[in-house]
């Protein structure tokens, strides 16, 4: 008997067609783990008639069913059941595998069809709901079993099915994201996280909870607040560090200011500001670091929650008469517990007034943190910050001129974030000193030192990694690890592929095609060749915003050869991209404008 999907019956390999009442009775008996009372069956199938009539109808159905399956049906005066060993069901096989401890086999045997598919009776709906609950537990057990057996890909498969059954279940989706990362598919985890966040927003109007946001943050490598220790040496940034040091010296004298550190992904912005934070702490200053995140949906003031927690852990307990600590609880309720306070914020009449209270409380916190020593405040990846956090950055920044505070903002050069530029322009217009520090490529000798500190390579291997990195510290580390691991996949690591997939996941069709064509080209494309692709307006802007590509003197290409190699390794159909490239070059040649 098939119970999963549309119910059906076979006898000795031959389909057995039963009338509706007999078929429903047989299926009901097959679902049960033990004999079922006659009164219960009569009430189930004929609920709208007198008991006497229902029992008579049941006797008729039992008589008709036993004419076909006499050996299989066991009938007593009070119960009905099926003879053990005479009837085999797909659901029974699943139960047997569960009893044998084979959760993965049982989950596979369940397939994807619903129990009693297409049957709408109340008892069938109830049985289907019970089976769904059992299946959720079974899929959890199958994923856990795969993890124990060291099979992360299979664990992902069962987690995906689990999440499909419960599309709004946050713990289940956290498990899925964790297992995708364990399977080496960080890009897939980013996409799954983005889709889940959108589903919560669209269907429930909420953002993920704190635990889910922490997992989403981890996908981007975001850190908790505070200076970070690095194993690699700090090299090649003497000029940049000197400029930051000069800004810190001015801030220590009470002339607060803002420095914006800009550079491509992986160029070492975080390493630079972490070194500055360590030096500031070493000379008696305070330091707090917070990182913006856009992977968990727009959670207002998420950046400032990190910064406020970091500051609260470092500063002395505020005076008991101060009212502003209670207002910090409006956006970060657990914050005031650090200071042993339990006073609730005073009620306000309007949301606008509450926002003003929060902004003023954060300003008071910064002032309190800087009242007895200079303060370095670092906001990383501000291009990802929510609007409320950017507004608060502007509010705090406007009050820096008379404080011993250096506010350092880091951002990638692509994609551009006009709201960040607007904050900087506003601060500059109000007399706040705003400087920009562009972090460029490291010199080869500095990259070589990093490579040697990352992996044990001979001189030839170091030289290869330096050439592949093209001055980018992250690519230097990736290349060194790939060379140390062996030649199987060249210099392209799993994490580098994940970075490419993540950056291109949201591109539309034409933009995705352009990224793939540039990957198979193996060189920058001239402007005339790109024009021959006949791309829609806005495509170039989209692909530049991935951060993988950059304009060249004659056209467009990948920022680094290693990124192009990683992109080529992720292509599903390189032949299609190559055909489009050849066609574009041909069209450009016919127009007589190919750059040779």
């Amino acid at each position: 008997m098939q119970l999963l999907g549309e119910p059906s019956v076979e006898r000795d390999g031959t389909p057995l067609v039963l009338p509706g009442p007999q078929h429903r009775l047989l299926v009901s008996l097959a679902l049960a783990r033990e004999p079922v009372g006659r009164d219960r069956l009569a009430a189930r199938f004929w609920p709208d008639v007198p008991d006497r009539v229902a029992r008579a109808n049941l006797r008729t159905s039992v008589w008709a069913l036993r004419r076909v399956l006499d050996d299989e049906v066991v009938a007593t005066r009070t119960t009905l059941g099926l003879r053990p060993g005479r009837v085999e069901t797909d659901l029974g096989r699943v139960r047997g595998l569960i009893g044998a401890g084979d959760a993965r086999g049982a989950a596979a045997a369940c397939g994807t069809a619903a129990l009693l598919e297409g049957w709408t009776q109340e008892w069938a709906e109830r049985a289907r709901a019970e089976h769904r609950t059992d299946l959720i537990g079974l899929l959890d057990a199958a994923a856990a079993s795969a993890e124990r057996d060291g099979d992360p890909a299979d664990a992902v498969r069962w987690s995906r099915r689990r999440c499909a059954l419960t599309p709004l279940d946050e713990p289940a989706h956290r498990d899925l994201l964790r297992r995708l990362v364990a399977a080496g598919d960080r890009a897939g985890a980013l996409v799954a996280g983005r889709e889940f966040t959108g589903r919560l927003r669209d269907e429930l109007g909420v953002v993920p909870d704190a635990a889910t946001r922490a997992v989403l943050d981890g996908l981007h490598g975001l850190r908790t607040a505070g200076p970070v220790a690095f194993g690699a040496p700090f090299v090649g940034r003497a000029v940049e560090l000197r400029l930051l040091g000069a800004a810190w010296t001015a801030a220590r004298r009470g002339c607060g200011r803002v420095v914006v550190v800009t550079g491509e992904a992986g160029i070492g912005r975080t390493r630079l500001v972490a070194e500055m934070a360590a030096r500031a702490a070493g000379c008696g200053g305070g330091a707090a670091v917070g990182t913006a995140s856009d992977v968990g949906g727009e959670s207002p003031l998420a950046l400032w929650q990190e910064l406020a927690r970091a500051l609260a852990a470092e500063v002395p307990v505020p005076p008991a008469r101060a009212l502003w600590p209670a207002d910090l609880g409006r956006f970060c309720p657990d914050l005031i517990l650090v200071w042993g306070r339990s006073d609730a914020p005073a009620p306000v009449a309007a949301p606008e007034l509450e926002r003003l209270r929060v902004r003023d409380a954060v300003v008071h916190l910064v002032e309190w943190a800087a009242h007895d020593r200079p303060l370095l405040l670092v906001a990383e990846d501000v291009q990802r910050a929510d609007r409320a956090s950017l507004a608060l950055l502007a509010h705090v920044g406007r009050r820096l001129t008379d404080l011993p505070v250096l506010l350092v903002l880091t951002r990638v050069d692509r994609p551009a974030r006009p709201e960040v530029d607007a904050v900087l322009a506003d601060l500059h217009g109000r007399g706040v000193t705003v400087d920009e520090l562009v972090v460029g490529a490291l010199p080869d000798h500095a990259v070589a030192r990093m490579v040697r500190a990352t992996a044990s390579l001979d001189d030839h291997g170091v030289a290869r990694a330096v050439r592949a990195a093209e001055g980018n510290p992250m690519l230097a580390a990736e290349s060194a690890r790939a060379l140390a691991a062996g030649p199987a996949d060249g210099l392209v690591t799993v994490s580098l592929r994940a970075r490419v997939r993540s950056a291109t996941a949201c591109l539309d069709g034409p933009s995705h095609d352009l990224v793939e064509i540039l990957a198979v080209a193996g060189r920058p494309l001239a402007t005339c060749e790109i024009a021959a692709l006949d791309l829609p307006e806005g495509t170039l802007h989209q692909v530049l915003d991935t951060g993988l590509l950059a304009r060249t003197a004659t056209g467009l290409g990948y920022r680094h050869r290693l990124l192009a190699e990683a992109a080529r390794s992720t292509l599903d159909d390189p032949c299609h991209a190559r055909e489009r490239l050849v066609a574009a070059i041909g069209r450009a040649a016919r127009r007589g404008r190919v750059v040779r």
Side-chain angles (χ1 to χ4, degrees):
M1 292 184 64
Q2 174 180 299
L3 303 176
L4 298 170
E6 184 177 355
S8 62
V9 185
E10 289 184 0
R11 188 172 193 175
D12 299 327
T14 302
L16 189 62
V17 180
L18 296 171
Q22 287 80 56
H23 193 190
R24 287 191 291 274
L25 175 59
L26 179 62
V27 166
S28 186
L29 295 177
L31 283 174
R33 299 173 187 263
E34 57 186 16
V36 185
R38 285 178 177 261
D39 289 344
R40 182 179 174 188
L41 290 170
R44 174 183 298 172
F45 294 124
W46 296 280
D48 300 325
V49 301
D51 293 345
R52 175 178 51 79
V53 176
R55 287 193 294 270
N57 290 342
L58 178 62
R59 285 194 298 272
T60 301
S61 294
V62 171
W63 175 80
L65 182 61
R66 293 188 68 179
R67 290 188 63 189
V68 181
L69 299 171
D70 184 50
D71 292 339
E72 287 80 10
V73 178
V74 179
T76 70
R77 291 187 61 186
T78 57
T79 64
L80 292 171
L82 297 179
R83 193 177 304 280
R86 296 288 298 177
V87 177
E88 181 180 319
T89 69
D90 49 5
L91 187 57
R93 287 193 294 273
V94 170
R95 291 169 177 169
L97 290 168
I98 293 174
D102 186 3
R104 295 162 73 179
C110 278
T112 58
L115 182 74
L116 309 187
E117 198 167 86
W119 286 27
T120 59
Q121 297 90 344
E122 183 179 346
W123 65 271
E125 295 278 6
R126 189 163 54 249
R128 192 155 41 241
E130 291 173 357
H131 173 69
R132 180 178 177 276
T133 300
D134 292 341
L135 182 57
I136 288 171
L138 178 59
L139 292 172
D140 282 338
S145 173
E147 279 188 313
R148 288 193 300 271
D149 294 343
D151 190 347
D154 204 38
V156 167
R157 179 162 71 102
W158 300 124
S159 271
R160 286 193 184 278
R161 280 192 57 190
R162 164 73 160 88
C163 290
L165 283 176
T166 55
L168 300 176
D169 186 329
E170 293 203 43
H173 282 79
R174 287 198 295 270
D175 286 340
L176 172 61
L177 299 181
R178 177 175 55 77
R179 287 165 178 151
L180 282 166
V181 172
D185 190 4
R186 185 174 293 271
L190 286 165
V191 172
R194 192 178 299 118
E195 290 175 348
F196 178 61
T197 299
R199 195 177 305 122
L200 287 180
R201 182 185 60 246
D202 295 343
E203 297 188 24
L204 301 180
V206 300
V207 298
D209 64 20
T212 305
R213 287 201 303 273
V215 174
L216 293 168
D217 287 348
L219 298 179
H220 272 303
L222 305 181
R223 308 173 321 280
T224 56
V228 179
F230 290 83
F234 181 73
V235 294
R237 297 297 185 201
V239 173
E240 293 90 341
L241 192 60
R242 188 163 57 248
L243 293 172
L244 276 178
W248 172 246
T249 300
R252 291 182 65 187
R253 294 172 180 160
C255 301
R257 58 195 56 219
V258 177
V259 175
V260 185
V261 179
T262 304
E264 66 172 288
I267 202 63
R269 294 167 292 113
T270 293
R271 184 68 176 91
L272 175 63
V273 296
E275 183 69 20
M276 186 65 236
R279 297 191 179 200
C283 65
V289 181
T291 306
S293 167
D294 60 357
V295 294
E298 185 155 309
S299 180
L301 299 176
L303 169 62
W304 281 99
Q305 287 180 1
E306 280 201 23
L307 285 169
R309 288 191 179 100
L311 287 172
E314 297 293 330
V315 302
V317 176
R321 65 180 182 277
L323 300 178
W324 57 266
D327 284 327
L328 290 174
R330 297 181 189 276
F331 80 103
C332 197
D334 61 318
L335 192 60
I336 58 175
L337 300 178
V338 175
W339 296 319
R341 299 179 61 143
S342 59
D343 43 333
V348 294
E352 293 79 8
L353 183 56
E354 183 167 35
R355 283 194 290 270
L356 287 175
R357 291 279 183 87
V358 168
R359 290 182 181 185
D360 287 343
V362 171
V363 170
H364 282 301
L365 174 61
V366 173
E367 291 173 341
W368 180 245
H371 81 284
D372 60 350
R373 58 177 177 169
L375 175 65
L376 174 65
L377 207 56
V378 180
E380 288 222 64
D381 291 335
V382 291
Q383 78 279 355
R384 293 200 192 107
D386 58 274
R387 293 179 181 86
S389 288
L390 289 178
L392 188 47
L393 270 177
H395 188 74
V396 172
R398 288 194 288 267
R399 286 152 177 80
L400 293 182
T401 52
D402 297 324
L403 293 174
V405 177
L406 175 61
L407 175 59
V408 176
L409 314 179
T410 74
R411 63 176 178 178
V412 293
D413 52 359
R414 300 293 300 203
R417 180 79 187 276
E419 294 95 330
V420 175
D421 293 326
V423 168
L424 299 176
D426 175 74
L427 293 175
H428 179 73
R430 294 173 183 268
V432 180
T433 300
V434 179
D435 296 317
E436 182 165 20
L437 175 57
V438 178
V439 182
L442 278 176
D444 285 353
H445 68 85
V447 176
R449 282 191 61 188
M450 289 191 62
V451 168
R452 288 191 175 94
T454 302
S456 179
L457 299 174
D458 58 20
D459 290 345
H460 176 68
V462 171
R464 282 190 66 191
V466 170
R467 285 195 302 272
E470 297 180 281
N472 185 292
M474 182 198 72
L475 297 183
E478 294 282 356
S479 302
R481 294 189 190 103
L483 287 169
D489 292 316
L491 296 180
V492 178
T493 61
V494 170
S495 58
L496 196 56
R497 291 191 189 95
R499 180 189 167 191
V500 170
R501 291 193 188 101
S502 173
T504 59
C506 293
L507 293 179
D508 60 19
S511 300
H512 210 278
D513 287 346
L514 178 55
V515 167
E516 292 187 348
I517 289 169
L518 282 163
V520 300
R523 62 170 175 84
L525 292 185
T527 302
C528 58
E529 293 172 323
I530 293 173
L533 291 169
D534 298 324
L535 298 168
E537 185 178 352
T539 299
L540 290 183
H541 181 75
Q542 271 202 51
V543 297
L544 286 169
D545 276 353
T546 64
L548 302 176
L549 309 177
R551 295 187 186 275
T552 66
T554 59
L556 182 72
Y558 276 84
R559 284 181 184 264
H560 301 280
R561 289 187 296 273
L562 196 55
L563 290 177
E565 187 177 340
R568 281 195 295 275
S569 72
T570 65
L571 295 183
D572 294 326
D573 188 3
C575 293
H576 173 69
R578 196 171 289 111
E579 288 169 1
R580 289 207 60 187
L581 171 63
V582 171
I585 293 175
R587 286 193 295 271
R590 287 192 293 274
R591 299 170 187 172
R593 296 184 299 173
V594 171
V595 178
R596 299 190 182 278

